[in-house]
Amino acid sequence: MEDLSLDDFLRRNRELADLSLEQLRGLSESDKHWTARRSFLARNLPHYPRERMDYLVALSMVWANHIFMGCRYSDHLMEKVLDMADGVDVEDAPCFTTRDEIMKQKR
């Protein structure tokens, strides 16, 4: 039996990979939110072994929470997820004003 890397497997079995990603969708996740998070997951899936899948899912949620709800996390974590999301397009992403930006405007 041929020993395939995850990249090779995904290229050869895109439909199967797409179906398995669907299992990671949250019950109350909107189509727009899921489309973006799914792209994040698909982009990074080859870099995470099966036993680290929970970590990848958590990172995808951190990224989605930042994009769609304006949540902030540590600088290190934000740098990591934003780097992981490089190339992921988010259609009609909301724009948030941070507390620090509001405080600067009041001065």
Side-chain angles (χ1 to χ4, degrees):
M1 182 172 174
E2 184 180 359
D3 191 23
L4 296 177
S5 73
L6 185 54
D7 287 334
D8 292 334
F9 174 81
L10 290 175
R11 274 193 288 280
R12 294 180 186 183
N13 299 288
R14 191 81 231 151
E15 186 175 313
L16 179 60
D18 289 343
L19 288 173
S20 65
L21 282 177
E22 289 302 317
Q23 296 172 357
L24 301 175
R25 183 176 183 170
L27 292 174
S28 61
E29 203 164 15
S30 72
D31 288 341
K32 183 165 105 174
H33 187 147
W34 171 239
T35 298
R37 198 167 70 82
R38 186 179 174 287
S39 294
F40 180 98
L41 288 164
R43 175 175 173 67
N44 292 286
L45 190 62
H47 309 291
Y48 285 83
R50 178 179 221 112
E51 60 272 5
R52 300 266 312 180
M53 186 58 61
D54 287 347
Y55 185 62
L56 176 59
V57 170
L59 290 171
S60 74
M61 291 178 178
V62 165
W63 174 76
N65 288 347
H66 170 69
I67 295 297
F68 292 103
M69 295 184 285
C71 296
R72 303 276 317 240
Y73 301 90
S74 72
D75 291 342
H76 175 73
L77 183 56
M78 289 303 304
E79 184 178 328
K80 180 176 184 67
V81 296
L82 292 175
D83 183 50
M84 291 172 72
D86 188 37
V88 175
D89 293 324
V90 179
E91 196 173 307
D92 300 324
C95 183
F96 297 97
T97 304
T98 66
R99 183 187 66 78
D100 292 342
E101 291 169 338
I102 292 170
M103 296 306 287
K104 285 179 186 176
Q105 292 172 359
K106 289 184 177 186
R107 290 182 185 162

